Amino acid sequence: MSELHGFLPPFTPSGHSAIIPEMPWYYSGTLLTVEYRTDPANVRALLPADIDLAPEDPGAVALIWADWQSCSEGGAELLDPIRSQYLEAFVVVRCAYEGVTYSRCVAIWVTKDFAIARGWFQGYPKKLGSAHVTRIFNRGKASPRLEAGAKLGATLSAYDHRLASAIVTLREPVEKNGFVNGHPMLHNRWMPSIERGKGMTMDQLITMGGVDADLGQAWKGDAELILADSQWDELASILPVKEIIAGYYREVGVTFAGGTLIADRSQPI
Amino acid sequence: MSELHGFLPPFTPSGHSAIIPEMPWYYSGTLLTVEYRTDPANVRALLPADIDLAPEDPGAVALIWADWQSCSEGGAELLDPIRSQYLEAFVVVRCAYEGVTYSRCVAIWVTKDFAIARGWFQGYPKKLGSAHVTRIFNRGKASPRLEAGAKLGATLSAYDHRLASAIVTLREPVEKNGFVNGHPMLHNRWMPSIERGKGMTMDQLITMGGVDADLGQAWKGDAELILADSQWDELASILPVKEIIAGYYREVGVTFAGGTLIADRSQPI
Amino acid sequence: MSELHGFLPPFTPSGHSAIIPEMPWYYSGTLLTVEYRTDPANVRALLPADIDLAPEDPGAVALIWADWQSCSEGGAELLDPIRSQYLEAFVVVRCAYEGVTYSRCVAIWVTKDFAIARGWFQGYPKKLGSAHVTRIFNRGKASPRLEAGAKLGATLSAYDHRLASAIVTLREPVEKNGFVNGHPMLHNRWMPSIERGKGMTMDQLITMGGVDADLGQAWKGDAELILADSQWDELASILPVKEIIAGYYREVGVTFAGGTLIADRSQPI
Amino acid sequence: MSELHGFLPPFTPSGHSAIIPEMPWYYSGTLLTVEYRTDPANVRALLPADIDLAPEDPGAVALIWADWQSCSEGGAELLDPIRSQYLEAFVVVRCAYEGVTYSRCVAIWVTKDFAIARGWFQGYPKKLGSAHVTRIFNRGKASPRLEAGAKLGATLSAYDHRLASAIVTLREPVEKNGFVNGHPMLHNRWMPSIERGKGMTMDQLITMGGVDADLGQAWKGDAELILADSQWDELASILPVKEIIAGYYREVGVTFAGGTLIADRSQPI
């Protein structure tokens, strides 16, 4: 584009209107995770045909609430905080492709449009939703402290339907906040042809992940989780809870600076 | 995809989770339009290099507020109306490509995620925004009637910044509700490579438009329009008002059933 | 107040900051109503001790969705429509006081703060909620028409919990859009003492109603209604549906210009 | 009320529907404060006739952003965090009554209905608004740390009009996070008669304040502040900035357990 600038549209001469600016993108926040097992057939049913179940514990699922502040280079978003803060709730499974184990996001709801845009670029199947997580403050009686016995609630709804409610009770410091979301992501980037019934214009398999992880102390604990469906969203029906593994909490920082193309089946249609 | 269904992700066996279902998509609603002229150089600066200014009145701009109810085949969205109703405010200019005059949307804000998804598929540079338009009811003192002298307000904000405020005073029935948005749309569908700095994976020029237009009586009138910028959105600076042309109001129905690929410069990157 | 102006706080010299301006308040909009019967004991349990059940059909309940545009004298709100448009869903029962039959709102959720403020003044127990109702447009395929067979959906949620979902199928024009909300309202205006445990500073029984009703054609039809509770709101548990009476739709205009004090038990505490 | 329960309406047999439960109410959160001076005549113009300017520094104003998590006894709200978290931005001045110096809130915007309800009970002139404040996380590059040089942004808008934008740059730990909001509050509780033009049914002067303060380290720094008006809200016009005093940040916990009636001029009208 001769004189138009921006990372994603709208493009303008200054580039300031772009829904998201150039990478890298920086994230600071907290992760509340509930890991559970569903029947591996449920995970299999959500994977494209050329992607396999993970070799170990293939029915493991992570439902993760992230309470983020994020910005691009220079940090301008931080000073107009409505543009930098958002929450997301996302569902991750593991899978395998050509012998390598990956994590894969199969559903995700976020609270801001810039997060939708970043996600579509990254192959996350993002929608808008309303997500909330108990915060940990250090003062007063309206907050748990980061200690054994702390109870944290988390909820998700979309189109005014409550889809998930979780309670995690922290028990002890641990090394990692779960294992399901611990691999590089394997995502598809799909965009159908503008011509009806023609198939996929963009059809890519990519991998990506964060860099520069800056990790706080992880905590593990018990978890309760209630899932539901609506006419517009499937959660209880497609990934029902068979057995809770654990709940986790961790403060984290991470940077996203791009991914890697694995396979391209895009067609000029 | 073997057994996954849906028009846009997320894909599931049932297809019910897709952020939008298959076309056709049906729309019923109202359009409030303010047409004005800016310096043609401002329009030129927003067009890719291979797209030309329109041959006549090249500085004409339309800022349109649409108050929509929409659904797909079967109309299930209409019975959970939070899933069918949304507003949008969008900026249209005209342009020319290989000798044909088109309309082109250069900025657009919508209130729901399904509308963002449809727009990204169609090459509309959609963001979330907060849009409002005075409604015309037939009863009581808190509404204009559809008649000469009726005053209709319309506003747009994004990230808590007011970007546009308009007042249209209807004067007389006319044949058309403006001319700027009257051609087939010429849009680009762009998606950068997941690999940083590599260029555009998807880079298409497409044309599209509604079919089955079901048009109410158009009204024309006077218009006032105030535009502003924020750190995240440009409107006053990129398309300043030089001269108001007119304001318009019309109730409309339309169907979208796909478009046509004009040029494809996508690369497997 | 010497030089402070406004109908409700905040008060300023100009009065412009008041959350609501002086009466009269004008309303234009649509009402979608589902009337049903619950056990009269459920209604009785929601009435203060000095208010009786209505003598006829005492278990009748109306759940009403109103899709309003409203303004005060001069209509300034209509030109900044975010300040004039709101939805509300409210539950009305009938009751008797000193031999007179009244309507009484026992629960109500609205979408804007100015509507909360008007309601608190009027003795409506208003909360914020998310309410949606199918709209009737005259063009296109994404809207019912105002005719036999039209299906209208309506929903209510609060704090991300879906509390009510209704579908009304219009069957025939009728004279009235229900009978439960057809009497003057009998409301309490309560405000506890700022001193803990001291009782009610303001404790009034008042009656009020709209004037200058400007009524469109009423329609009657079948109705389906699903109610739910959350931790914060009771609907299914306190007024369960025993038998649906009917659904109704009507476009209406009305003016509110004040009410009448019936009894005052306020105490200077 | 015989068998109806709840602190504020709606009242039900269980009391669970009340928009707010009984005191005490607990708060944990952060306060970002900008203190500045305006012409004392501007403060005088916002005080009722029987309330005087504070004897010292009478033109001092505090604009405070609070990012709260709050709950009542038992803490049930913390596990459905949408019901416990909210932000507010409020404007405090000082005043004097019968020789005692008080703080007084003259404008306040909050993000949830339960906060409106608590405020109306306490004499805060609450409205809904959209408030945002930069958060301080301990990990990653998308957050300042609690240290000299940290930059925190804060914004307020209502009805899609941006009313205030602030940037505070922390410089050093200090003993107190400002002085304007440091006295017991002197508030009026006003409710007009339901009968038009009759005056105030409830007209009380009360004082109140938090107890059990649990204070984090206060920080002081530089501040920039931009105020604006809209048709519905006055800020720039009624309390213009003459001179910035300082910006402050502090994590705090506090409990509210009721106030004290000072004067009652309520009338049974």
Side-chain angles (χ1 to χ4, degrees):
Chain A
M1 252 150 305
S2 54
E3 321 217 7
L4 290 174
H5 297 96
F7 184 73
L8 281 179
F11 295 144
T12 63
S14 76
H16 293 158
S17 291
I19 189 169
I20 43 173
E22 297 280 349
M23 299 176 274
W25 305 323
Y26 304 113
Y27 302 75
S28 291
T30 64
L31 299 179
L32 185 80
T33 301
V34 178
E35 292 193 336
Y36 68 93
R37 291 191 182 89
T38 193
D39 187 316
N42 295 323
V43 175
R44 171 65 265 177
L46 292 174
L47 300 176
D50 60 342
I51 298 178
D52 301 314
L53 283 173
E56 290 180 39
D57 211 347
V61 179
L63 178 44
I64 305 169
W65 278 265
D67 187 358
W68 289 126
Q69 194 162 260
S70 78
C71 63
S72 56
E73 206 63 55
E77 297 93 338
L78 299 180
L79 298 183
D80 195 13
I82 187 176
R83 183 62 182 68
S84 60
Q85 298 171 348
Y86 70 107
L87 287 106
E88 61 189 357
F90 57 110
V91 182
V92 176
V93 298
R94 288 172 313 143
C95 59
Y97 183 76
E98 297 187 344
V100 179
T101 298
Y102 293 92
S103 298
R104 180 178 176 90
C105 176
V106 295
I108 179 165
W109 295 262
V110 302
T111 60
K112 296 278 170 75
D113 63 352
F114 68 84
I116 288 187
R118 292 198 299 216
W120 281 43
F121 165 73
Q122 296 167 319
Y124 281 95
K126 287 196 178 178
K127 298 175 162 182
L128 280 182
S130 176
H132 293 83
V133 187
T134 308
R135 288 169 62 180
I136 296 180
F137 290 95
N138 304 300
R139 300 283 163 182
K141 299 179 181 173
S143 177
R145 299 292 183 270
L146 186 53
E147 63 189 13
K151 280 187 182 296
L152 303 168
T155 66
L156 168 67
S157 80
Y159 286 106
D160 280 358
H161 298 271
R162 183 69 69 107
L163 298 173
S165 301
I167 296 175
V168 171
T169 306
L170 304 186
R171 297 300 177 194
E172 55 182 351
V174 290
E175 199 182 333
K176 302 180 80 174
N177 56 324
F179 65 95
V180 178
N181 195 33
H183 308 269
M185 309 305 289
L186 183 73
H187 282 169
N188 288 73
R189 304 205 310 162
W190 282 308
M191 180 57 74
S193 171
I194 192 67
E195 305 196 9
R196 195 174 164 189
K198 284 252 183 113
M200 290 288 169
T201 293
M202 180 171 71
D203 184 356
Q204 292 193 322
L205 194 64
I206 61 106
T207 184
M208 44 146 286
V211 295
D212 285 340
D214 179 12
L215 302 174
Q217 173 64 56
W219 281 77
K220 182 177 180 177
D222 306 326
E224 303 164 54
L225 180 62
I226 298 171
L227 302 179
D229 278 22
S230 76
Q231 301 101 296
W232 321 112
D233 288 291
E234 299 160 289
L235 209 43
S237 64
I238 61 174
L239 289 171
V241 178
K242 195 168 156 186
E243 173 193 21
I244 293 285
I245 298 173
Y248 304 91
Y249 176 84
R250 190 174 218 173
E251 188 171 347
V252 302
V254 72
T255 298
F256 180 81
T260 303
L261 178 63
I262 293 183
D264 189 292
R265 308 178 198 96
S266 303
Q267 303 178 57
I269 54 175
Chain B
M1 257 148 303
S2 55
E3 320 217 8
L4 290 174
H5 298 96
F7 185 72
L8 280 179
F11 296 143
T12 63
S14 75
H16 294 158
S17 292
I19 190 168
I20 44 173
E22 297 280 349
M23 301 175 273
W25 306 322
Y26 304 112
Y27 301 75
S28 290
T30 64
L31 299 179
L32 185 80
T33 301
V34 177
E35 292 192 336
Y36 68 93
R37 289 190 183 89
T38 193
D39 187 316
N42 296 323
V43 176
R44 171 64 265 177
L46 293 174
L47 301 176
D50 61 342
I51 299 178
D52 302 313
L53 282 173
E56 290 180 38
D57 211 347
V61 180
L63 178 44
I64 305 170
W65 278 265
D67 187 359
W68 288 126
Q69 195 162 259
S70 79
C71 63
S72 57
E73 207 64 54
E77 296 92 339
L78 299 180
L79 298 183
D80 195 12
I82 186 176
R83 182 61 183 69
S84 60
Q85 298 170 349
Y86 71 106
L87 286 106
E88 60 189 358
F90 57 110
V91 182
V92 176
V93 298
R94 287 172 314 142
C95 58
Y97 182 77
E98 298 188 344
V100 180
T101 298
Y102 293 92
S103 298
R104 180 178 176 90
C105 176
V106 294
I108 180 165
W109 295 262
V110 302
T111 60
K112 296 278 172 75
D113 63 352
F114 68 84
I116 288 187
R118 292 198 300 217
W120 282 41
F121 165 73
Q122 296 166 320
Y124 281 94
K126 287 196 178 178
K127 297 174 163 184
L128 281 181
S130 176
H132 293 82
V133 187
T134 308
R135 288 169 62 180
I136 295 179
F137 289 95
N138 304 299
R139 300 284 162 181
K141 299 179 181 171
S143 177
R145 299 292 183 271
L146 186 51
E147 63 189 13
K151 279 186 182 294
L152 303 168
T155 66
L156 168 68
S157 80
Y159 286 106
D160 280 358
H161 297 272
R162 183 68 68 105
L163 298 173
S165 302
I167 297 174
V168 170
T169 306
L170 304 185
R171 297 298 178 197
E172 57 182 349
V174 290
E175 201 182 332
K176 303 179 80 174
N177 55 323
F179 64 95
V180 178
N181 194 33
H183 308 270
M185 308 306 289
L186 182 74
H187 282 169
N188 287 73
R189 305 206 310 163
W190 282 308
M191 179 57 73
S193 170
I194 192 67
E195 305 196 10
R196 194 172 166 192
K198 283 252 182 112
M200 289 289 170
T201 293
M202 181 171 72
D203 184 357
Q204 293 193 321
L205 194 63
I206 62 106
T207 183
M208 43 145 288
V211 295
D212 285 340
D214 179 12
L215 302 173
Q217 174 64 56
W219 281 76
K220 182 179 181 177
D222 307 326
E224 303 164 54
L225 180 62
I226 298 172
L227 302 180
D229 278 22
S230 76
Q231 302 100 299
W232 321 111
D233 288 292
E234 299 161 289
L235 209 43
S237 64
I238 61 175
L239 289 171
V241 179
K242 194 168 157 184
E243 172 193 22
I244 293 284
I245 299 172
Y248 304 92
Y249 177 84
R250 190 175 218 173
E251 188 171 347
V252 302
V254 72
T255 298
F256 179 81
T260 304
L261 178 63
I262 292 182
D264 189 293
R265 308 175 198 99
S266 304
Q267 304 177 57
I269 54 176
Chain C
M1 252 149 307
S2 54
E3 321 219 6
L4 290 173
H5 297 96
F7 184 72
L8 280 180
F11 295 143
T12 63
S14 76
H16 293 158
S17 292
I19 190 168
I20 44 173
E22 297 280 348
M23 299 176 274
W25 306 324
Y26 304 113
Y27 301 75
S28 290
T30 64
L31 299 179
L32 185 80
T33 301
V34 178
E35 292 193 336
Y36 68 93
R37 289 191 183 89
T38 193
D39 188 316
N42 296 321
V43 175
R44 169 66 266 177
L46 292 175
L47 300 176
D50 61 343
I51 298 178
D52 301 313
L53 283 173
E56 290 180 38
D57 211 348
V61 180
L63 177 45
I64 306 169
W65 278 266
D67 188 358
W68 289 125
Q69 194 162 260
S70 79
C71 64
S72 56
E73 206 64 54
E77 296 92 339
L78 299 180
L79 298 183
D80 196 12
I82 187 176
R83 182 61 182 68
S84 60
Q85 297 170 349
Y86 70 106
L87 287 106
E88 61 190 356
F90 56 110
V91 182
V92 175
V93 297
R94 288 173 313 144
C95 60
Y97 183 78
E98 297 188 344
V100 179
T101 298
Y102 293 92
S103 298
R104 180 178 176 91
C105 177
V106 294
I108 179 164
W109 295 263
V110 302
T111 60
K112 296 278 171 76
D113 63 352
F114 68 83
I116 288 187
R118 292 198 300 217
W120 281 42
F121 165 73
Q122 297 166 319
Y124 281 96
K126 287 196 179 180
K127 297 174 162 182
L128 281 181
S130 176
H132 293 81
V133 187
T134 309
R135 287 169 61 180
I136 296 180
F137 290 95
N138 304 299
R139 301 284 163 181
K141 298 178 181 173
S143 177
R145 298 292 183 272
L146 186 52
E147 64 190 11
K151 280 187 181 296
L152 303 168
T155 67
L156 168 67
S157 81
Y159 286 105
D160 280 358
H161 298 272
R162 183 68 69 105
L163 298 174
S165 301
I167 297 175
V168 170
T169 307
L170 304 185
R171 296 300 177 197
E172 56 182 351
V174 290
E175 200 182 332
K176 302 179 80 174
N177 56 323
F179 65 95
V180 178
N181 195 32
H183 307 270
M185 309 305 288
L186 183 73
H187 282 169
N188 288 73
R189 305 205 310 162
W190 282 308
M191 179 58 73
S193 171
I194 192 67
E195 304 196 11
R196 195 172 166 192
K198 284 253 183 113
M200 290 288 169
T201 293
M202 181 171 70
D203 184 357
Q204 292 192 323
L205 194 64
I206 62 106
T207 184
M208 43 146 289
V211 295
D212 285 339
D214 179 12
L215 303 173
Q217 175 64 56
W219 281 77
K220 182 178 180 177
D222 306 326
E224 302 164 55
L225 180 62
I226 298 171
L227 302 179
D229 279 22
S230 77
Q231 301 101 296
W232 320 113
D233 288 292
E234 299 161 288
L235 209 43
S237 64
I238 61 173
L239 290 170
V241 178
K242 194 168 157 185
E243 173 194 22
I244 293 284
I245 299 173
Y248 304 91
Y249 176 85
R250 189 174 219 173
E251 188 172 347
V252 302
V254 73
T255 298
F256 180 80
T260 303
L261 177 63
I262 293 184
D264 189 292
R265 307 177 199 97
S266 303
Q267 304 178 56
I269 54 175
Chain D
M1 253 150 304
S2 55
E3 320 218 6
L4 290 174
H5 297 96
F7 184 73
L8 280 180
F11 296 142
T12 63
S14 76
H16 294 157
S17 292
I19 190 169
I20 43 172
E22 297 281 348
M23 300 176 272
W25 304 324
Y26 304 113
Y27 301 75
S28 291
T30 64
L31 298 179
L32 185 80
T33 301
V34 178
E35 291 193 336
Y36 68 93
R37 290 191 183 89
T38 193
D39 188 315
N42 295 322
V43 176
R44 169 66 265 178
L46 291 174
L47 301 176
D50 60 343
I51 299 178
D52 301 314
L53 283 174
E56 290 180 39
D57 211 347
V61 180
L63 178 44
I64 306 169
W65 278 266
D67 188 358
W68 288 126
Q69 194 162 261
S70 78
C71 64
S72 56
E73 206 63 53
E77 296 93 339
L78 298 180
L79 297 183
D80 196 12
I82 186 176
R83 182 61 183 69
S84 59
Q85 298 171 349
Y86 70 106
L87 287 105
E88 59 189 357
F90 56 110
V91 182
V92 176
V93 297
R94 287 174 313 142
C95 59
Y97 182 77
E98 297 189 344
V100 179
T101 299
Y102 293 92
S103 297
R104 180 178 175 91
C105 176
V106 295
I108 179 166
W109 295 261
V110 302
T111 60
K112 295 279 171 74
D113 63 352
F114 68 84
I116 288 187
R118 292 198 299 216
W120 281 41
F121 165 72
Q122 297 166 318
Y124 281 95
K126 287 195 177 178
K127 297 174 161 182
L128 280 181
S130 176
H132 292 81
V133 187
T134 308
R135 287 170 62 181
I136 296 180
F137 289 95
N138 304 299
R139 301 283 163 183
K141 300 179 180 172
S143 177
R145 298 292 183 271
L146 185 53
E147 63 190 13
K151 279 186 182 294
L152 304 168
T155 66
L156 168 67
S157 80
Y159 285 105
D160 279 359
H161 297 271
R162 182 69 69 106
L163 299 174
S165 301
I167 296 175
V168 170
T169 306
L170 304 186
R171 296 299 177 198
E172 56 182 352
V174 289
E175 199 183 332
K176 302 179 81 174
N177 57 323
F179 64 96
V180 178
N181 195 32
H183 307 269
M185 309 305 290
L186 183 73
H187 282 168
N188 288 72
R189 305 206 309 163
W190 281 308
M191 179 56 74
S193 171
I194 192 67
E195 304 196 10
R196 194 174 167 190
K198 283 252 183 112
M200 289 288 169
T201 293
M202 180 172 71
D203 185 356
Q204 291 192 323
L205 194 64
I206 61 105
T207 184
M208 44 146 287
V211 294
D212 285 340
D214 179 12
L215 302 173
Q217 174 64 56
W219 281 76
K220 182 178 180 177
D222 306 327
E224 303 164 53
L225 180 61
I226 298 171
L227 302 179
D229 279 21
S230 77
Q231 302 100 298
W232 321 111
D233 288 292
E234 299 160 288
L235 209 44
S237 65
I238 60 173
L239 289 171
V241 178
K242 194 168 157 184
E243 172 193 23
I244 293 284
I245 299 173
Y248 303 92
Y249 176 84
R250 188 175 220 173
E251 188 171 347
V252 301
V254 73
T255 297
F256 180 81
T260 303
L261 177 63
I262 293 183
D264 189 292
R265 308 177 198 98
S266 303
Q267 304 178 56
I269 53 176

